[in-house]
Amino acid sequence: MASTSFFPPRPSSTLAEIASLTKATLVDASYAEHRITGLASLDEAGPMHLSFFENLRYSDELANTRAGACLVSERFEGRVPSHVAVLRARRPFHAFVAYARHLYSDALRPHTGVGAPGIAPTAVIHETAKLEDEVTVEPLAVIGPDVEIGSGTVIGAGAVIAAGVKIGRDCDIGAGSHLQHALIGNNVLMHPGCHIGQDGFGFIFAGQHTKVPQTGRVIIQHDVELGAGTTIDRGSLRDTVIGEGTKIDNQVQIGHNVTIGRHCVIAAKCGLAGSLTLGDNVALGAMVGINNHVVIGDGAQVAAMSGVKDSIPAGERWGGIFARPTRTWFREMLAVRRLAEGSGAETAARPDDDRDEGRG
């Protein structure tokens, strides 16, 4: 099969141009006119590629790289092979990303590329919907009554925007997504298959489990990004709110009445039960589960695969099942390991005749 790239080649850049753009220092000026045609990891890079190094875990890859140039901090500069041009940067990965964003600005938004700009002939748009100029609605999308969509927004193929939903400007609503009972801010990116505003999981759990009406909304503020397959339930009485600038990974479930603060980061497959609160700048590792009604304070961090049943004070780092402060968690794990190792040594030290005592 022929090699296929979904992002066409970009114009080449000289190392002098890259140094200027990334605010890095080209250590050997004789490389100033060397041209870079692409980006690659250390182990896959060739003479025309730019790479970066800032983690000693990848020392072997750096030693054996064929890259044309490498962004690296002054601390590790001496580890770069002599045939590789050195771009000294205080934060190499940040500099690498700055250049990557310059090259691949079209990779920053979840466009499907299945339709031309404008309204596809097969899109279904209710006569009472209001679309500003320069809205794109891709094939087979459905826009319901009284929907409002701001300019520059793209509604992906097969998406359904239910009655009364409001979507701001410069948003991308991924293919196959479904939005109802929701108010969406500006520059919100939803990857394919998101489901927003469906019933929260509310029942009186007795006998036949009586369903509780869910009459709230979902409010997603500006600059939020939602990964593929993420689901956000609408509130029962109060709204479910996702704060400005928050970034949510794939397949995250957010229950009804949840409030998430600004600029939080939530990794894949987290499950947030109803009526909990995350403060600003909270970070959750992958597969964290959080019980209902707890409060996670501003700036708190929770390690991946943790189960949280208690509120976490601002700025603290917790982990484990059930989650507790990481220092306590680590001490407990170490104590259990020592206990297990001690028990094993004690068992191995017993004489055979003690273990066989009483046998015929």
Side-chain angles (χ1 to χ4, degrees):
M1 181 182 294
S3 176
T4 299
S5 173
F6 293 97
F7 295 95
R10 270 36 180 184
S12 63
S13 302
T14 66
L15 288 179
E17 292 169 338
I18 294 172
S20 175
L21 188 147
T22 62
K23 298 180 172 54
T25 300
L26 182 60
V27 173
D28 185 346
S30 67
Y31 285 103
E33 296 306 312
H34 180 81
R35 302 200 77 84
I36 294 296
T37 60
L39 309 173
S41 58
L42 288 166
D43 58 335
E44 295 184 340
M48 307 297 286
H49 288 131
L50 174 70
S51 193
F52 73 96
F53 176 82
E54 63 176 21
N55 190 327
L56 287 173
R57 182 179 300 174
Y58 301 101
S59 294
D60 289 344
E61 285 88 342
L62 177 63
N64 295 301
T65 190
R66 297 174 57 249
C70 183
L71 286 155
V72 64
S73 67
E74 185 175 8
R75 175 187 175 192
F76 298 134
E77 188 178 313
R79 293 176 175 266
V80 180
S82 59
H83 63 276
V84 179
V86 173
L87 288 161
R88 184 191 301 139
R90 188 171 66 88
R91 304 172 82 178
F93 182 60
H94 287 67
F96 184 83
V97 170
Y99 184 59
R101 288 175 62 92
H102 169 74
L103 278 187
Y104 295 104
S105 59
D106 55 335
L108 298 175
R109 304 182 73 89
H111 293 307
T112 62
V114 301
I119 309 301
T122 57
V124 178
I125 301 176
H126 195 274
E127 61 183 9
T128 61
K130 297 178 181 177
L131 280 59
E132 291 186 343
D133 294 340
E134 299 181 3
V135 169
T136 292
V137 183
E138 292 186 340
L140 304 178
V142 178
I143 310 297
D146 301 315
V147 167
E148 296 180 13
I149 302 175
S151 63
T153 288
V154 177
I155 307 299
V160 176
I161 313 300
V165 168
K166 308 294 188 282
I167 300 174
R169 294 173 175 167
D170 299 315
C171 296
D172 274 274
I173 308 302
S177 295
H178 187 284
L179 281 64
Q180 57 182 306
H181 305 282
L183 306 178
I184 312 297
N186 297 328
N187 195 38
V188 171
L189 308 184
M190 294 186 192
H191 291 266
C194 289
H195 293 266
I196 311 299
Q198 59 281 340
D199 262 10
F201 191 66
F203 295 88
I204 298 174
F205 292 103
Q208 296 182 354
H209 306 316
T210 303
K211 189 174 184 66
V212 177
Q214 307 289 299
T215 58
R217 306 171 297 180
V218 173
I219 297 177
I220 299 178
Q221 296 178 357
H222 302 325
D223 303 318
V224 168
E225 183 162 355
L226 305 179
T230 286
T231 56
I232 304 176
D233 295 342
R234 69 176 182 264
S236 56
L237 293 176
R238 70 179 189 180
D239 297 325
T240 301
V241 179
I242 314 298
E244 177 181 347
T246 285
K247 311 302 181 186
I248 298 175
D249 200 358
N250 299 336
Q251 297 181 341
V252 171
Q253 157 64 18
I254 297 172
H256 60 184
N257 308 326
V258 166
T259 297
I260 295 177
R262 297 172 297 173
H263 305 294
C264 294
V265 177
I266 302 175
K269 295 195 174 185
C270 287
L272 280 59
S275 301
L276 64 82
T277 299
L278 269 57
D280 296 340
N281 298 295
V282 170
L284 305 181
M287 299 182 71
V288 167
I290 306 181
N291 197 21
N292 54 5
H293 301 287
V294 304
V295 176
I296 312 298
D298 292 351
Q301 299 179 16
V302 183
M305 302 179 69
S306 297
V308 181
K309 69 178 182 65
D310 301 308
S311 293
I312 299 177
E316 294 198 2
R317 300 177 66 186
W318 284 34
I321 299 175
F322 288 108
R324 54 270 198 204
T326 50
R327 289 186 179 180
T328 302
W329 178 34
F330 291 156
R331 284 197 299 266
E332 290 176 359
M333 288 193 296
L334 182 59
V336 170
R337 177 182 298 175
R338 287 173 175 168
L339 181 63
E341 291 172 349
S343 298
E346 182 179 320
T347 300
R350 292 179 185 170
D352 290 344
D353 56 347
D354 285 349
R355 293 199 299 271
D356 295 337
E357 184 177 356
R359 292 182 181 177

